[in-house]
């Protein structure tokens, strides 16, 4: 038996933020990140709509990119004090992910972070509050997913929390928020969405319910991402829908080792002054993982279906897989994303020499590989890598060398 779970209500299209006017409750806590939602007036709008619905509103502001365990605990403490019956998270993936984890801790004050990370092991939520997610970026799709990514900075590891309980009750997909994204964010979130759709389609948990969502998302991203990056706002609006469809697919079909590797390399070199941004990591690793997974016949056929759906040509399955890899690498070029860690600058742009020194990468490689294998996303990857294979694959992602194993 498989399960397919989405938010009960999804409001989409320009002006969808107004749906907040019709919420029923006494108190709402709005969780928000840095300042863009405030700067562009969306935070004020959300607060005004909730007050119009007759609610008392409190803000929890300043959730950082790659939110920490500490921020989660602080937010949960603020909720415990204010006692909201609605948690409304607005912004990119970070504030929404953080708010999901805060929600768990608010409902169950005694739960530990380790307990939260037990895959599909969270007790029933909604005893104290319901959850609404309003996304401002077109990539993570956390507004419709059963996932949250929280960083333990002491360990330098990103942990996925995975449970259908944290699927939001309401998702608001209003493209006006996404039009405010800076160009670099359009690139990274767009390739994150492409990775979600491709990994969901080849995942061992794919189904008749997830396949159409994944394929349509891939088609839309192929059609719209580069133009969105170059400033076409109609395409930017379309991408906000595409990433949400990809999210619906992967929340139910799960992901694969592109994400496992991105989670475990993201903060692994933070002591050298930068993170490998999640969407950029996915973009760099995706072509390598396709080459690795395509050694599995079932996965190879599914990559072939994707290539056909994208009208890339090719007679044999091997040709189709090669053309898919080539196409994705060209997308990275068009989006100014490097092809490997060695060429990844601290600002995420390509360079001859990136910020991660070779000797540091090689020294940390065994531990990163072991952590990636243990990641929640590895179980649904079509080909299960050994420690040796994961190390070799990560080396290909460092040097941009061919995957021939």
């Amino acid at each position: 038996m498989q399960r397919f779970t989405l938010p009960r209500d999804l409001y989409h299209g320009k002006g969808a933020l107004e749906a907040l006017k019709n919420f029923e409750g006494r108190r709402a806590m709005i969780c928000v990140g840095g300042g863009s939602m405030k700067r562009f007036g969306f935070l004020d709008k959300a607060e005004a709509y909730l007050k119009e619905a007759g609610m008392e509103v409190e803000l929890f502001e300043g959730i950082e990119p790659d939110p920490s365990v500490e921020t989660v605990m602080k937010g949960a403490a603020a909720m415990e004090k204010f006692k909201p019956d609605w948690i409304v998270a607005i912004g990119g993936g970070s504030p929404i992910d953080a708010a999901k984890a805060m929600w768990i801790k608010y409902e169950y004050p005694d739960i530990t972070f380790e307990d939260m990370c037990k895959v599909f092991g969270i007790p029933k939520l909604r005893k104290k509050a319901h959850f609404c997610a309003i996304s401002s970026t077109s990539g993570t799709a956390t507004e419709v997913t059963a996932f949250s990514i929280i960083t333990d900075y002491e360990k330098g590891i990103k942990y996925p929390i995975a449970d259908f309980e944290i699927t939001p009750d309401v998702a608001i997909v209003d493209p006006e928020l996404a039009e405010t994204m800076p160009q670099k964010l359009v690139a990274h979130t767009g390739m994150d969405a492409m990775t979600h759709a491709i990994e969901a389609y080849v995942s061992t948990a794919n189904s008749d319910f997830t396949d159409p969502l994944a394929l349509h998302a891939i088609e839309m991203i192929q059609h719209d991402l580069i133009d969105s990056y170059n400033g076409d706002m109609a395409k930017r609006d379309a991408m906000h829908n595409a990433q949400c469809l990809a999210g619906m697919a992967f929340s139910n079909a799960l992901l694969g080792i592109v994400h496992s590797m991105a989670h475990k390399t993201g903060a692994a070199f933070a002591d050298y002054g930068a993170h490998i941004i999640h969407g950029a990591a996915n973009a760099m690793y995706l072509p390598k993982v396709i080459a690795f997974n395509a050694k599995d016949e079932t996965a190879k056929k599914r990559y072939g279906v994707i290539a056909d759906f994208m009208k890339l040509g090719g007679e044999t399955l091997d040709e189709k897989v090669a053309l898919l890899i080539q196409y994705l690498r060209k997308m990275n070029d068009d989006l100014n994303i490097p092809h490997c860690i060695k060429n990844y600058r601290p600002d995420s742009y390509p360079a001859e020499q990136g910020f991660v020194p070779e000797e540091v990468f090689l020294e940390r490689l065994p531990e990163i590989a072991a952590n990636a294998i243990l990641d929640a996303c590895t179980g649904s990857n079509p080909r299960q890598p050994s420690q040796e294979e994961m190390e070799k694959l990560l080396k290909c992602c460092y040097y941009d060398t061919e995957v021939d194993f």
Side-chain angles (χ1 to χ4, degrees), residues 22 33 35 46 52 98 195 208 248 273 331 367 392 395:
N22 303 315
E52 201 177 319
T195 306
D208 289 340
M248 292 177 181
M331 283 185 85
E367 189 184 357
K392 282 166 79 173
K395 276 187 184 174

Side-chain angles (χ1 to χ4, degrees), residues 12 23 65 140 165 172 178 211 223 232 238 253 258 315 325 360 388:
H12 58 97
F23 279 29
T140 69
E165 281 300 313
I172 295 177
D211 285 353
H223 188 253
D232 182 328
V258 178
E315 294 299 314
I325 290 169
V360 173
E388 184 192 356

Side-chain angles (χ1 to χ4, degrees), residues 32-211:
V32 69
S36 66
M37 289 298 94
K38 184 181 267 186
R39 216 166 40 248
F40 293 110
F42 294 114
L43 181 58
D44 287 346
K45 271 187 184 175
E47 191 175 359
Y49 290 147
L50 288 165
K51 284 179 174 170
E52 201 177 319
M55 290 196 224
E56 192 185 332
V57 181
E58 189 169 289
L59 305 183
F60 185 85
E61 297 184 78
I63 296 169
E64 73 274 43
D66 303 308
S68 64
V69 178
E70 288 72 24
T71 297
V72 168
M73 298 306 164
K74 267 187 219 160
M79 287 174 188
E80 188 52 48
K81 203 170 160 193
F82 181 62
K83 303 220 178 321
D85 45 22
W86 272 102
I87 298 163
V88 177
I90 183 169
S94 298
I96 299 173
D97 279 6
K100 284 178 174 178
M102 291 169 191
W103 182 26
I104 302 167
K105 184 74 175 167
Y106 168 50
E107 298 249 356
Y108 293 94
D110 295 333
I111 201 168
T112 63
F113 181 65
E114 289 68 31
D115 285 338
M116 288 188 201
C117 293
K118 287 176 184 163
V119 179
F120 295 98
I122 291 167
K124 290 270 181 213
L125 299 179
R126 297 165 180 81
K127 290 183 166 67
K128 294 182 182 177
H130 284 82
F131 193 98
C132 170
I134 307 162
S135 179
S136 66
T137 60
S138 301
T140 69
T142 186
E143 72 275 8
V144 291
T145 75
F147 297 94
S148 159
I149 308 296
I150 305 297
T151 303
D152 184 329
Y153 283 90
E154 277 182 32
K155 294 180 181 166
I157 293 178
K158 294 186 177 190
Y159 288 96
I161 299 173
D163 199 294
F164 286 121
E165 281 300 313
I166 60 170
T167 306
D169 298 288
V170 178
I172 295 177
V173 184
D174 187 332
E176 286 181 349
L177 279 71
E179 288 179 8
T180 65
M181 281 193 294
Q183 191 182 40
K184 184 163 77 172
L185 193 58
V186 172
H188 294 159
T189 55
M191 288 309 290
D192 191 19
M194 182 62 109
T195 306
H196 289 156
I198 291 175
E199 286 210 293
Y201 191 73
V202 300
S203 154
T204 55
N206 72 70
S207 73
D208 289 340
F209 296 89
T210 59
D211 285 353

Side-chain angles (χ1 to χ4, degrees), residues 238-277:
M239 271 301 301
H240 207 43
N241 288 348
Q243 64 86 32
C244 188
L245 295 172
M248 292 177 181
F250 92 78
S251 187
N252 292 282
L254 308 178
L255 293 164
I257 57 172
V258 178
H259 272 76
S260 305
M261 291 154 63
H263 292 152
K264 298 325 184 215
T265 52
F269 309 101
D271 50 332
Y272 282 80
H275 275 216
I276 301 175
I277 296 168

Side-chain angles (χ1 to χ4, degrees), residues 52-53 72 74 83-84 93 136 152 187 202 220-221 226-227 229 272 280 296 323 356 374-375 382 399 405:
E52 201 177 319
V72 168
K74 267 187 219 160
K83 303 220 178 321
S136 66
D152 184 329
V202 300
M220 288 179 77
I221 296 163
I226 305 301
D227 289 338
Y229 175 77
Y272 282 80
D296 172 272
L323 286 165
V356 181
L374 292 172
D375 188 271
Y399 297 109
F405 52 91

